[in-house]
Amino acid sequence: MLELFSSITIDKDSETPLYIQLYENIKKMIEGNILAPDMKLPSVRQLASSLHVNQITVVSALKLLQKDGFIYTRPGSGTYVEDLMSLPEDKNRDGSSIVADELYLQDDLPMIADGQINVSSKTINFASATPTPDLFPVEDFKAALNEVLDRDKGTAFAYQDSHGYYPLRECVAGMMQKAGINCTPGNVQIISGAQQGIDIISKAFLRQGDSVVTESPTYTGAIAVFRTRGAQIVDVELDEDGPNMELLEYSLKKFKPKLIYAIPSFHNPTGYTYSESKRKEMLNLAEKYDCYIIEDDYVSDLDFEGKNLLPLKARDKNNRVIFIKSFSKIFMPGLRLGFMIVPQDMRSNILEAKHTTDISTSGLIQRAFDTYIRKGYWDKHFKFMFDIYEERYFKTIKVLDECLPDGVHYTKPGGGLNIWLNMPYGFSVNSLFKQSAANDIAFAPGSIFYSSNSSKRMNSLRLSFASVYTDQIEPGINSLCRMIRTQQEKNISLRNMPIL
Ligand SMILES: Cc1ncc(COP(=O)(O)O)c(C=O)c1O
């Protein structure tokens, strides 16, 4: 058996990581039927010693092969070659069989329009990672607005400095100092939401054909921005503790990107959080390969299990990080308010991009928000939202632990608003999506968070608990689990059907 692997050539001087080379070699052997369906593979130790690579290289290659559906494991027995012919048609293995899924998504454009999933008032909504309007602090914000109008009169409606209303920048700098980030009002750029932040950074620094590195999967709004700028998106696989660093370095070396777009804490869509060591390593790599990191912090403060995460920006000695903060997940997303902390030498380019985009974020809203913070309403509202999300988080985790069928995996994020479910290979998330929609349950199919067909994984999904009421969580997840089980049973009976 081991002799079959003797044809594998691994070039230790190549720029391609060893585990990718090994992955490609084994994949070719499976596709060429050199490794037959259901054949047991040698152990990791045997493969490593016969190929003269270390065991981590073999494990990484096997992990990727399993993720892409070329092999499967039998607990306690070993790793086996998948029977490619017996798998449902809509599985993405080589990029060509993806068509079924894409057609499906197009068929359902009313359900998924521009990355947004429509829901009705009856829907149990695990699809949106956004607070519902009943939680918005309308009365307190009205009081702050009225106070500003009485105080500033017409000035509140004049053009605002593009940089942002100074007292608000002062307030924000104070908040950031408390979070461990050393900044002054001069580094703070007020923006009309984090989405605008990603857009104006790209406008300022990306030209047609420039490369930008993103995690894979990642936030759809960022993918859309990079695409509209004509940038080449280089995606790097995201593991549970952050991006695959070998692949990140390989991509930085090969594609020389200007920007890395990263969501290090309670990532969207996976909920994963970078480890301390990967945070440090990413900063070192940005310095080594002369590129900048956009750190998108959209929910790091929703830390329900005490991870006490330090943003990349807090360690950014070399001024490589542009930090973006959204208020939309805690506050009222329709206000369109957020801020960035910008390294000194990038300030003027970013200010110019902001000015040509909308001159400034609404002066009235900035003033009202400044008053809202200074009067202590923000702290009160944050606590209110934290408690609600925390309750929903723990409820979601509890119900998932109780009822998720075998073969469905997830990692507890510890915070944020999203949970990423990895379904077993051969499972059709799109069928589940369609069936759930018919049963008034919405979630986000994982495939929409990938930038390219070649990296797309069709067997994951995102559950968000921001828009779902606590008492809907148990019935919603139970019903979803029932649908998952039914599909799994159908798949098993199809596989076992005798061929006459
Ligand atoms: C990771 C991430 N970044 C940015 C945004 C956009 O936020 P904003 O409403 O502040 O523009 C979102 C919204 O969902 C998001 O999930």
Side-chain angles (χ1 to χ4, degrees):
M1 171 70 188
L2 258 183
E3 314 77 75
L4 284 176
F5 292 84
S6 60
S7 62
I8 292 182
T9 47
I10 303 270
D11 176 2
K12 294 202 168 158
D13 298 324
S14 161
E15 285 197 335
T16 307
L18 300 185
Y19 81 97
I20 298 280
Q21 295 184 46
L22 183 55
Y23 162 86
E24 293 292 351
N25 270 284
I26 300 181
K27 178 178 149 193
K28 264 196 212 126
M29 290 166 79
I30 295 174
E31 286 171 336
N33 241 344
I34 297 169
L35 299 177
D38 298 319
M39 180 188 270
K40 186 174 178 183
L41 295 184
S43 70
V44 169
R45 194 178 42 75
Q46 287 170 323
L47 275 175
S49 92
S50 84
L51 298 168
H52 307 292
V53 293
N54 72 36
Q55 294 190 15
I56 295 171
T57 303
V58 177
V59 169
S60 305
L62 294 182
K63 238 170 82 182
L64 204 54
L65 283 161
Q66 186 173 1
K67 234 179 186 173
D68 286 356
F70 290 99
I71 58 173
Y72 63 95
T73 54
R74 285 191 195 138
S77 166
T79 306
Y80 296 81
V81 175
E82 257 299 357
D83 180 357
L84 303 188
M85 301 309 291
S86 77
L87 290 164
E89 270 175 25
D90 63 350
K91 291 298 118 191
N92 170 29
R93 183 167 296 113
D94 58 8
S96 57
S97 51
I98 205 164
V99 176
D101 269 349
E102 296 216 314
L103 280 180
Y104 169 72
L105 291 179
Q106 280 159 20
D107 280 353
D108 284 276
L109 275 181
M111 286 293 295
I112 303 179
D114 299 325
Q116 296 196 351
I117 294 161
N118 290 333
V119 290
S120 76
S121 57
K122 280 199 309 191
T123 310
I124 301 185
N125 181 5
F126 291 106
S128 312
T130 304
T132 48
D134 54 308
L135 301 175
F136 296 165
V138 177
E139 288 309 313
D140 286 348
F141 197 71
K142 190 155 88 183
L145 256 177
N146 284 336
E147 194 171 321
V148 167
L149 289 172
D150 289 343
R151 185 193 70 201
D152 297 350
K153 308 210 163 44
T155 319
F157 297 99
Y159 275 126
Q160 184 64 58
D161 172 8
S162 298
H163 212 149
Y165 178 57
Y166 188 83
L168 177 59
R169 285 193 277 131
E170 237 178 12
C171 248
V172 162
M175 282 160 91
M176 288 298 95
Q177 296 277 5
K178 281 192 203 143
I181 295 178
N182 190 13
C183 77
T184 64
N187 301 119
V188 177
Q189 171 67 56
I190 302 294
I191 45 181
S192 307
Q195 182 68 30
Q196 186 186 63
I198 303 167
D199 193 55
I200 63 175
I201 296 168
S202 304
K203 187 171 171 183
F205 297 104
L206 291 180
R207 298 291 162 262
Q208 178 85 22
D210 282 349
S211 294
V212 53
V213 164
T214 71
E215 302 131 340
S216 176
T218 190
Y219 167 52
T220 50
I223 296 174
V225 166
F226 301 137
R227 280 214 182 112
T228 55
R229 293 278 155 218
Q232 184 192 7
I233 302 175
V234 179
D235 48 13
V236 170
E237 186 171 346
L238 184 69
D239 294 328
E240 287 168 15
D241 62 345
N244 179 317
M245 284 294 156
E246 232 183 339
L247 216 48
L248 176 62
E249 178 154 21
Y250 168 73
S251 304
L252 297 180
K253 212 189 280 179
K254 178 154 181 202
F255 297 100
K256 305 188 176 25
K258 291 208 170 135
L259 297 169
I260 302 172
Y261 170 73
I263 314 170
S265 303
F266 311 132
H267 178 263
N268 181 13
T270 61
Y272 298 163
T273 284
Y274 290 19
S275 64
E276 285 295 299
S277 62
K278 287 198 173 177
R279 284 170 193 252
K280 288 181 194 149
E281 210 177 330
M282 184 178 263
L283 286 167
N284 291 340
L285 289 176
E287 177 68 8
K288 182 169 171 192
Y289 293 99
D290 190 21
C291 69
Y292 289 92
I293 302 169
I294 303 176
E295 177 176 23
D296 185 341
D297 178 351
Y298 77 117
V299 282
S300 71
D301 12 33
L302 296 179
D303 177 6
F304 308 129
E305 298 198 26
K307 285 184 183 270
N308 292 322
L309 303 161
L310 200 57
L312 298 180
K313 187 70 194 160
R315 299 199 174 95
D316 180 28
K317 293 198 190 71
N318 300 312
N319 285 317
R320 289 280 162 193
V321 180
I322 311 165
F323 178 85
I324 305 183
K325 182 89 188 151
S326 170
F327 290 119
S328 295
K329 306 300 172 188
I330 307 287
F331 205 42
M332 300 184 275
L335 282 182
R336 308 310 303 132
L337 203 54
F339 67 87
M340 303 200 285
I341 299 174
V342 182
Q344 174 76 27
D345 58 351
M346 303 179 97
R347 271 166 52 180
S348 63
N349 285 7
I350 285 190
L351 196 60
E352 195 185 323
K354 169 71 181 166
H355 188 86
T356 57
T357 297
D358 65 352
I359 299 180
S360 82
T361 297
S362 158
L364 176 63
I365 297 297
Q366 291 190 60
R367 284 159 200 258
F369 189 52
D370 173 59
T371 301
Y372 185 88
I373 297 174
R374 288 176 195 270
K375 291 188 89 69
Y377 293 141
W378 169 259
D379 287 342
K380 182 179 93 175
H381 181 64
F382 178 81
K383 166 106 185 51
F384 169 73
M385 292 302 293
F386 186 96
D387 291 348
I388 289 175
Y389 285 148
E390 184 183 39
E391 186 188 23
R392 292 180 187 175
Y393 168 75
F394 283 111
K395 180 83 188 175
T396 305
I397 295 292
K398 181 170 177 287
V399 181
L400 284 174
D401 283 347
E402 281 165 3
C403 86
L404 262 191
D406 284 349
V408 183
H409 296 289
Y410 84 101
T411 304
K412 279 191 189 102
L417 299 170
N418 301 314
I419 289 171
W420 187 245
L421 298 188
N422 283 309
M423 314 306 281
Y425 192 73
F427 188 91
S428 171
V429 168
N430 286 332
S431 305
L432 179 69
F433 178 75
K434 207 168 195 172
Q435 201 191 350
S436 311
N439 286 283
D440 290 315
I441 296 175
F443 62 80
S447 54
I448 65 172
F449 300 100
Y450 291 91
S451 59
S452 68
N453 281 351
S454 62
S455 65
K456 218 172 246 196
R457 308 253 184 271
M458 311 308 278
N459 62 340
S460 35
L461 61 95
R462 188 192 76 177
L463 288 184
S464 301
F465 48 86
S467 286
V468 72
Y469 298 100
T470 309
D471 61 357
Q472 295 178 313
I473 291 174
E474 188 159 359
I477 293 180
N478 278 333
S479 163
L480 206 56
C481 287
R482 266 196 303 278
M483 288 183 260
I484 295 173
R485 241 178 246 116
T486 309
Q487 196 192 124
Q488 281 179 317
E489 281 160 14
K490 257 196 219 150
N491 284 354
I492 289 171
S493 59
L494 274 178
R495 274 186 181 223
N496 293 341
M497 207 150 62
I499 301 168
L500 298 174

